[in-house]
Each structure stands twice: as structure tokens, then as C-alpha cells.
Amino acid sequence: MRGAVSLPAPIAQFPWRVVIPLTLLVAFGAAVLHSAAGGSFSPYAGSHLLRFGVFLIVALVMSYFPEDWARFAAIPVYIAILLLLMAVEAVGQLGGGSQRWLELGFIRLQPSELMKPGIVLILAAFYHTLPVGMIGSWRALLVPAGLLVVPMGLVLLQPDLGTSLAIAFGGVVVMFLAGIPQKWFIGGGLAAVCVAPLAYFFGLQPYQQQRVLTFLDPASDPQGSGYHIIQSKIAIGSGGLSGKGFGEGSQSQLNYLPEPHTDFVFATMAEEWGLIGGLFVLLVFGIVLRWGLLVARDAKTRFSRLLAGGMTATIFFYVAVNLMMVMGLAPVVGIPLPFMSHGGSSMMTNMLCVGALMMVERWNRQSTSAGL
């Protein structure tokens, strides 16, 4: 077309439609963290922006990996993360009553976070190699179940119930998208309901049992286990339509709200920015998740479709559970809000998911250009 502007290929192919909303969300998160630190970029906001910049580069580098590389890496990556989880049990660092981290000198690594995208990768590769005619066989269920149970067991030993549930969610979504018969999911759901009471009494730690009781009745211990969720609700509700103003949140500024920079960062934001700020956050997450679903829909191979769907589900799990948690709709399980909460492990996991989606999007574009 005459007069049309042709952009250079690197600019035209850059994933603007996800980088722009993510940058806006991270910048907004940095503003909230700046307020949570009492009006200082240190120690939260500055490191938050730095981590995003580093992991954005990692994601962009990932986007150039060929599909064959990703499939080939699935087994080595899975085994490597399992070995790291075993190392946590042997020499891991204690923190907050849990043994979840490895001190590597230059970084404090939480291997369980790596397993969230790792389980999606290995299951996508497995179902890609499984003949379509075997999708209804027991092999299609037992092998993935084994791949799920081993890391979940290691994570539960730390103990970390929230992360183990996140690993399970990503894996189950990939199994569902692969076409596993629905009767198995229904049977599994019924079995989970039957086992839940036993799991509560014999599988959960005392503090985890208390979290469930607190979720059911926060007012039963307002100065103890129910304090977090009560203060979170007060912060969210007191924000009103437009909030109290930047840096004017009494719940976070006066230290009434626990963990205002990590698990309860949404409550910190809602108190100062109100319903308008909350809707902005939900809108950006909606844009990012919609992008992930479109990437999965347009995928040309079984592997890329399952990979994109599983990575999108992993990000969704983070968002949904955190928002439900801070509003009292789910027990407090220590799941941070992606791209807003302060924390390197959360940023790493979610940016790896974004990088995988960028990678699949590039494969889609290359297949379209090749006429496939």
C-alpha cells in the first residue's frame, strides 16, 4: 500500500502487547512499594524495578529459543530442579520456620518456584510424544501423576502448601488441555473431597490447620491468627472509590497491615488508590492473561499449545489465589501478587512464564510466515 510505513523487523516483532502492560503494572507496583517503605525507593521499589529489568531480558532471550530446544530441555530441566529440591532438604536455609532456600552466594534461590514452569514444560513434552490414540489410556494419567507427585512431595516437606498447590494446578491444567477423559477429573475431584478431612487432620502442619480455621472465622482470633485478613479487609474497604491518596494509607504506614510489600501488597494499593486502582490492576492482568490465551489458541503444535496454556494457567493461579486471599475468600497460603509484590522468586517464576509465552508467540509467527 502506497504511503504505508514499514517498521524494522526487530521493532515490529518485539512483543509490545505484553511488555507495555507489564511495564505499567510493575511501575505501579514500584509506586506502591515506595509508599510501603515510608516514601523510599529502598529497600523494595528499587530492587523490584531492577529484578523486572533483569528478568525481562531473560524472557526476551528465551523467546528466541527454537521449539526443538525447548522440547529437548524438558527432561534435563525437570531433573535439575528435582536435584535442587533434594539439595534443599539436605543443606537448605531455614527461614520463617520453613526450609525452602539454597544460598548460592550471589543469589538466594527457592527451587520450588522453578518447578512451577518446570512441571508445565515436562508435561507438555510428554503429551507431545504420546500418540493421540493413547490419551485415554492409563499411561496418559499415571506417568504425569508420577511426575507431579514427586516434586509436590518434596515441596510439602519444606513445608510449603501454597507452592505445592501451584505446581499441582499447572500440571492438572496441562493434563486437561491434553484431552485426558473428564471422568478421571471428576473421580479425582470426588476422591479429593473424601480425603480432605484426613489431609486436614494428618497432613497439615498445626499452623496450616489454623489458617483454614481463620479463613472460616477470622473474628475468632482477631489479635492472633485472624489479624492479617481482618486488617487486609479494613485496608481494602477504607480505600473507597479513589483511595486515601499516595502515601496516605494508615494501615500500611502505621504498620497495622502485616506484609504490606509482599502477600498483602494489593491491600496496600487499594487503601491508597481505591477501587480505581484495583480496577486498573485487574484490567492489566486481564490484558496479560488474554494475551496468553491467544498465544495458546494460535499455537501450531501440541507441545506449544500445552506449554502456552500451562504457563498462562500458572500466572492465573498466582493472581486468583492472592486476590482471593487478601479479600478473605481463601486461606492465607503465602502466594504473592505477580509483578507487584516484592520478591525475587515470584518475579523470576512469572517472567519465566512470560518468556515461554513470548517463545511460543514467535514460533506461531514463524509458522505463519512459512505458510504452515
Side-chain angles (χ1 to χ4, degrees):
M1 181 178 177
R2 182 178 297 179
V5 178
S6 179
L7 295 175
I11 297 178
Q13 296 179 4
F14 192 83
W16 297 107
R17 60 177 178 166
V18 67
V19 171
I20 291 176
L22 277 184
T23 302
L24 292 174
L25 185 62
V26 170
F28 187 41
V32 176
L33 293 174
H34 178 276
S35 177
S40 173
F41 268 98
S42 177
Y44 308 135
S47 59
H48 181 70
L49 293 172
L50 178 61
R51 287 165 177 166
F52 174 68
V54 170
F55 286 117
L56 177 59
I57 294 174
V58 172
L60 291 171
V61 171
M62 283 180 60
S63 70
Y64 284 90
F65 290 177
E67 185 170 351
D68 292 343
W69 286 21
R71 287 203 303 266
F72 177 78
I75 295 177
V77 166
Y78 179 79
I79 293 175
I81 300 174
L82 278 185
L83 293 175
L84 289 173
L85 288 174
M86 294 176 186
V88 168
E89 291 301 312
V91 297
Q93 298 295 310
L94 287 171
S98 300
Q99 189 172 353
R100 303 177 184 176
W101 297 273
L102 289 176
E103 286 291 352
L104 303 180
F106 62 95
I107 188 174
R108 195 184 194 200
L109 182 66
Q110 187 176 349
S112 58
E113 287 289 330
L114 293 172
M115 186 53 77
K116 295 174 185 176
I119 195 66
V120 171
L121 178 63
I122 188 67
L123 292 183
F126 170 78
Y127 283 115
H128 178 80
T129 59
L130 187 71
V132 176
M134 295 185 64
I135 199 64
S137 68
W138 284 103
R139 180 184 175 190
L141 177 65
L142 293 181
V143 174
L147 293 171
L148 265 174
V149 167
V150 174
M152 285 182 62
L154 290 171
V155 173
L156 285 172
L157 289 175
Q158 295 179 0
D160 190 350
L161 179 61
T163 298
S164 65
L165 291 176
I167 294 171
F169 184 81
V172 169
V173 167
V174 173
M175 295 167 70
F176 178 80
L177 295 176
I180 294 292
Q182 292 188 11
K183 61 181 180 181
W184 290 353
F185 289 99
I186 296 173
L190 294 175
V193 171
C194 296
V195 172
L198 295 176
Y200 174 82
F201 288 106
F202 302 105
L204 297 183
Q205 299 289 329
Y207 78 92
Q208 293 171 333
Q209 294 177 342
Q210 187 60 48
R211 286 179 176 179
V212 175
L213 296 176
T214 301
F215 160 66
L216 296 175
D217 186 13
S220 62
D221 189 11
Q223 296 300 319
S225 58
Y227 184 79
H228 289 66
I229 191 60
I230 291 174
Q231 296 303 319
S232 177
K233 288 181 177 180
I234 292 173
I236 294 173
S238 63
L241 178 62
S242 57
K244 296 179 178 178
F246 180 57
E248 300 297 326
S250 58
Q251 291 295 106
S252 58
Q253 299 298 322
L254 300 179
N255 296 322
Y256 288 112
L257 181 65
E259 305 296 335
H261 61 292
T262 53
D263 294 352
F264 291 90
V265 71
F266 184 83
T268 303
M269 180 281 304
E271 184 181 22
E272 297 187 358
W273 298 85
L275 178 62
I276 295 175
L279 290 177
F280 169 76
V281 171
L282 293 178
L283 174 63
V284 176
F285 277 127
I287 292 172
V288 173
L289 293 172
R290 180 179 180 274
W291 167 73
L293 292 175
L294 291 176
V295 170
R297 184 198 66 181
D298 297 337
K300 308 302 179 183
T301 65
R302 194 179 192 187
F303 171 74
S304 59
R305 183 171 62 254
L306 295 178
L307 182 64
M311 295 300 180
T312 304
T314 299
I315 298 174
F316 169 78
F317 182 88
Y318 267 94
V319 177
V321 171
N322 179 271
L323 294 181
M324 292 173 65
M325 182 180 74
V326 299
M327 291 186 285
L329 301 177
V332 177
V333 291
I335 298 291
L337 186 62
F339 313 114
M340 289 194 68
S341 292
H342 180 264
S345 296
S346 170
M347 183 68 78
M348 174 186 66
T349 299
N350 286 285
M351 287 307 295
L352 288 176
C353 293
V354 170
L357 287 165
M358 290 179 178
M359 185 169 57
V360 175
E361 186 178 45
R362 186 174 293 274
W363 299 342
N364 297 347
R365 190 163 50 243
Q366 291 171 347
S367 298
T368 302
S369 300
L372 298 179

